[in-house]
Amino acid sequence: MKTNTYIIVKSMLMHEDKFTYQTIGDELNISSKTIRNQLSKIEAILSEHNIKLLKQSGVGLQIIGEKKDVLECYNFCNSNLNVTEISSDIRKNVLIYLLLTKQSKITIGFLENLFFITRPSIYNDLKDIENYFNEFDIKIIKSRKNGIEIITGEKRRRKCLLDYSTKMFEQKKDNYSNLKKIMSWMDYLYNNEENHNRTYIQNFISNIENYASFKITKIELDRMINWFLISIDRIKTFNYVNLDLDLKNKIRNKKIIEYIENNKKYLENKFNITLNESEIIYLASLLSSNVTSSFSSVYEESLNPKNLFSIIKEFCDELDNHICFFDKVYFENKFLPYLEKYIQKLNFEYDLYNPLTQEIKAEYSKLYKLSKNINPILNKYNLKEFDESGLATLTLLLADIMEMQIKTLKVYYILKNNIFEDDLNIHILKNNLTNVEIITDDNIENYDKDDIDLIISHEEIKKINTPVFVYPSLITQNFL
């Protein structure tokens, strides 16, 4: 028996309602004649599992049989094709997509037929999906009238679609080769060779960058392209965001919205959509909240630079307790634009994003912990706390200032005059500490006391302003 017979049977089994030869042919990219030629073999397979193929002239075909028999037949076809059962992870990804883009009723029965699994398996999948949606404040509800659906605003739905699509891009495409809707969605977002969608949006954003004199980082540009494409796809199905039009005033760079207003026809003509005022503000806010600005432009454009400086000063005071001699001016120049970008994102309920969050947390665990000290300060100013991605990005800045000190530290090592011990300790210090000049009793007379940044001593020294570190008999890595 030809292998494609089992594929045809599987395709038929996945239809809960009536279908035609042409429907199956389109799904499998074969002709209706090919299906008719194998009809006797198809009916034989179905009959072995107590399933009947009902044929009605002018109406179509329909599978008639018990669900358990349909499931058995489906697994039988899989075994003859050496196909494994769809994994739970793949099922959940498919169901998340269906819920986020729902155009028709999704019932437990529909999912049983789609995945050929039992209700308990579907309910287990839904528990994990509910946890995922909770991260975006999206709720799943189940009702007889509407089936399974999600309750959320359009902005949150798009934000979740963005996160979902980013994760799906990392999946093996072959896992979804039999799931036409998923493949079409991923091709729409990522198959640039076929539809050139990404190039078109990238060029559109690039024109805005030039017109409004700003830059978006490569990582954020990729997200912006996806976010634009997701928004366009939602608009095509008449799912619009509903924004307070006063939000337009919170967009810092007015040229961004000016360009989109003047050139929206290019997007409308390319994708056959209509951009209303809310959608224009929405797209402009996406770009505005991801702009990489200079210190001076942030200072000029910020609605409340005094608050920003107060937050940074308090955070620097906190860092003083943990990091010696860091360049506060450099830190301020770098942190101010990021803090302003964060507040812009808050205005439009967007997230901070860093794809290396987990790697940064692992590599710089102590600095990541230190970065959390920003959150109580933000709370004081009634601002939302940094999430993991925001803290990870701040951690990179802390790692940067740790790498570059303002000056070489002058360290006075007080000798114990123990044979070999002093020499060993001095060499350990020199080999393990960067930007450090070791001074000893032998050359201390060449320096003023104000030249010394810190003292390393074998015993406590009181009534002195210079920081003193008391070392153990032998200097250890923990001490360093």
Side-chain angles (χ1 to χ4, degrees), residues 4 8 20-38:
N4 64 5
I8 294 169
T20 65
Y21 293 114
Q22 188 63 47
T23 303
I24 304 300
D26 290 344
E27 288 178 359
L28 302 178
N29 197 26
I30 58 177
S31 68
S32 298
K33 184 178 179 182
T34 298
I35 300 169
R36 292 177 186 275
N37 287 343
Q38 298 193 54

Side-chain angles (χ1 to χ4, degrees), residues 225-240:
I225 293 171
N226 280 352
W227 220 325
F228 266 61
L229 288 172
I230 287 167
S231 299
I232 288 167
D233 185 72
R234 295 294 295 166
I235 294 169
K236 281 183 177 180
T237 52
F238 307 104
N239 292 290
Y240 292 92

Side-chain angles (χ1 to χ4, degrees), residues 409-413 436-440 452-456:
L409 296 180
K410 293 183 173 59
V411 178
Y412 175 28
Y413 176 88
V436 166
E437 177 185 348
I438 303 297
I439 301 164
T440 66
I452 306 301
D453 294 309
L454 59 91
I455 297 171
I456 295 179

Side-chain angles (χ1 to χ4, degrees), residues 15 39 42 52 61 106 110 124 155 209 213 241 247 276 294 346 364 387 402 420 475 479:
H15 286 270
L39 197 55
I42 291 169
K52 183 179 178 181
L61 310 170
I106 301 172
F110 167 80
N124 283 335
K155 283 174 62 181
E209 284 181 303
S213 303
V241 293
L247 281 174
N276 61 27
S294 65
L346 275 185
Y364 302 104
D387 59 16
M402 291 288 284
F420 302 137
I475 289 179
F479 173 78

Side-chain angles (χ1 to χ4, degrees), residues 307 311 314 339 342 346 372-387:
N307 265 7
I311 292 169
E314 289 188 38
L339 190 58
Y342 160 71
L346 275 185
K372 291 181 179 180
N373 287 312
I374 189 65
N375 282 335
I377 300 170
L378 293 174
N379 287 335
K380 179 179 171 183
Y381 289 85
N382 297 316
L383 293 172
K384 187 178 176 182
E385 294 184 353
F386 274 14
D387 59 16

Side-chain angles (χ1 to χ4, degrees), residues 130-271:
E130 282 181 316
N131 291 334
Y132 172 71
F133 279 147
N134 283 339
E135 296 176 23
F136 301 89
D137 294 325
I138 296 174
K139 303 298 179 188
I140 293 181
I141 62 169
K142 300 179 277 288
S143 68
R144 288 181 178 275
K145 180 181 178 182
N146 298 316
I148 307 168
E149 61 181 348
I150 57 174
I151 300 299
T152 187
E154 181 61 23
K155 283 174 62 181
R156 287 197 181 109
R157 190 184 295 263
R158 293 184 191 183
K159 182 179 175 182
C160 190
L161 267 169
L162 176 70
D163 181 81
Y164 164 83
S165 301
T166 303
K167 290 175 179 174
M168 283 293 290
F169 182 65
E170 299 166 0
Q171 301 261 333
K172 287 185 178 179
K173 199 172 180 180
D174 292 345
N175 291 340
Y176 302 88
S177 56
N178 292 327
L179 300 162
K180 194 172 181 180
K181 286 186 176 180
I182 299 290
M183 294 297 289
S184 296
W185 172 253
M186 298 308 289
D187 281 344
Y188 166 70
L189 288 181
Y190 296 110
N191 190 355
N192 196 48
E193 292 180 5
E194 185 173 314
N195 55 41
H196 306 295
N197 289 336
R198 297 190 69 80
T199 299
Y200 192 90
I201 296 298
Q202 182 173 342
N203 290 339
F204 189 82
I205 292 174
S206 177
N207 290 338
I208 300 174
E209 284 181 303
N210 293 332
Y211 182 81
S213 303
F214 71 91
K215 274 293 175 188
I216 293 179
T217 64
K218 175 66 170 66
I219 290 173
E220 287 175 332
L221 175 61
D222 287 340
R223 274 169 61 84
M224 286 302 100
I225 293 171
N226 280 352
W227 220 325
F228 266 61
L229 288 172
I230 287 167
S231 299
I232 288 167
D233 185 72
R234 295 294 295 166
I235 294 169
K236 281 183 177 180
T237 52
F238 307 104
N239 292 290
Y240 292 92
V241 293
N242 185 19
L243 297 182
D244 180 351
L245 299 184
D246 286 340
L247 281 174
K248 183 176 181 179
N249 298 324
K250 291 189 175 182
I251 295 175
R252 300 284 188 269
N253 191 326
K254 303 303 180 186
K255 285 193 170 184
I256 293 175
I257 197 163
E258 183 180 297
Y259 184 91
I260 297 176
E261 286 175 334
N262 293 338
N263 296 275
K264 67 174 185 173
K265 62 184 178 183
Y266 296 109
L267 288 179
E268 291 177 329
N269 293 338
K270 165 69 176 176
F271 296 101

Side-chain angles (χ1 to χ4, degrees), residues 25 92 154 161 180-181 223 246 281 297 321 338-339 341 345 354 359 390 398 420 422 426 437 444 453 471 477 480:
K92 284 182 278 193
E154 181 61 23
L161 267 169
K180 194 172 181 180
K181 286 186 176 180
R223 274 169 61 84
D246 286 340
I281 294 172
S297 63
N321 297 323
Y338 183 67
L339 190 58
K341 181 189 289 189
K345 286 177 179 285
N354 191 319
E359 291 92 330
L398 296 181
F420 302 137
D422 287 326
I426 289 170
E437 177 185 348
I444 187 63
D453 294 309
Y471 64 87
Q477 193 63 39
L480 293 173

